[in-house]
Amino acid sequence: MINSNIKYAYSVGKIRALETKLVNFSQMEKVWQQPNFESVAGFFEEYYGLEKLDKDNFEYRLDEHLEKTLKEVKGLAIERCLFGAFLLKYDFYNIKVLFENLFSESVLSSGNFSKDELIEMIKSLNFSKFKEISDMISEHLISIFKPDTKSIT
């Protein structure tokens, strides 16, 4: 069994290494100044090591890269149960988009639920899966912060 301090240190180091691949403001300024789409695509292809990007797959491929990165970070999370709480904002965004247009391709793949699951929730007006996540997070937080009753005298 790996000591939790060692796992925490490894996770922090790995996440900090991933942070070095985030596009910073000065790099985005350069992207904004590019004369055409091909130059912008070239930047992201080189920076993230993506295959040929074109106007048809650009958003999809960047979203795919985000999903891969989030899975990697989730794998590093010591409290994986709580990681889902950070993804809820994507689920709420996706529900909003789907309410606007059930056939939208703008759904992010980074939430807790797939597009099909969200569409089914909307069609049935049954959002109980959000309560399941909420209950799971609540129970986990209680187990973490619950005072040790054995030490009370």
Side-chain angles (χ1 to χ4, degrees):
M1 185 169 157
I2 298 176
N3 179 326
S4 64
N5 289 337
I6 293 171
K7 184 172 182 182
Y8 177 79
Y10 172 79
S11 296
V12 168
K14 185 76 172 168
I15 289 170
R16 289 210 175 134
L18 289 170
E19 286 176 339
T20 65
K21 292 303 282 181
L22 293 174
V23 176
N24 63 37
F25 184 75
S26 66
Q27 290 167 318
M28 276 312 294
E29 281 185 319
K30 290 177 186 173
V31 169
W32 292 325
Q33 294 171 3
Q34 296 302 312
N36 54 39
F37 173 80
E38 288 74 23
S39 300
V40 171
F43 168 80
F44 286 104
E45 288 167 2
E46 182 179 330
Y47 197 75
Y48 289 120
L50 301 174
E51 294 176 22
K52 181 85 173 113
L53 295 172
D54 58 42
K55 290 179 182 179
D56 294 329
N57 72 4
F58 185 76
E59 269 189 78
Y60 173 77
R61 297 290 305 289
L62 288 180
D63 188 48
E64 190 177 62
H65 180 71
L66 172 64
E67 181 179 14
K68 180 182 140 218
T69 303
L70 283 173
K71 281 182 182 177
E72 186 174 355
V73 172
K74 184 177 184 178
L76 296 168
I78 292 172
E79 298 292 343
R80 289 191 180 119
C81 171
L82 300 179
F83 192 82
F86 295 103
L87 299 179
L88 283 173
K89 65 183 176 185
Y90 298 113
D91 292 318
F92 289 114
Y93 167 83
N94 288 339
I95 284 179
K96 181 182 110 347
V97 168
L98 289 170
F99 266 126
E100 292 170 1
N101 179 4
L102 282 180
F103 303 102
S104 174
E105 295 301 320
S106 300
V107 174
L108 300 172
S109 60
S110 353
N112 290 296
F113 306 105
S114 70
K115 178 181 176 180
D116 293 337
E117 288 174 301
L118 292 171
I119 289 173
E120 186 55 39
M121 285 182 208
I122 292 168
K123 285 180 177 178
S124 66
L125 293 177
N126 180 352
F127 300 95
S128 60
K129 288 187 177 185
F130 281 99
K131 184 171 178 355
E132 290 172 21
I133 289 178
S134 174
D135 290 346
M136 182 178 65
I137 291 168
S138 296
E139 290 169 12
H140 193 72
L141 286 172
I142 289 169
S143 73
I144 291 172
F145 295 108
K146 185 177 180 181
D148 185 5
T149 54
K150 293 177 187 172
S151 62
I152 298 174
T153 55

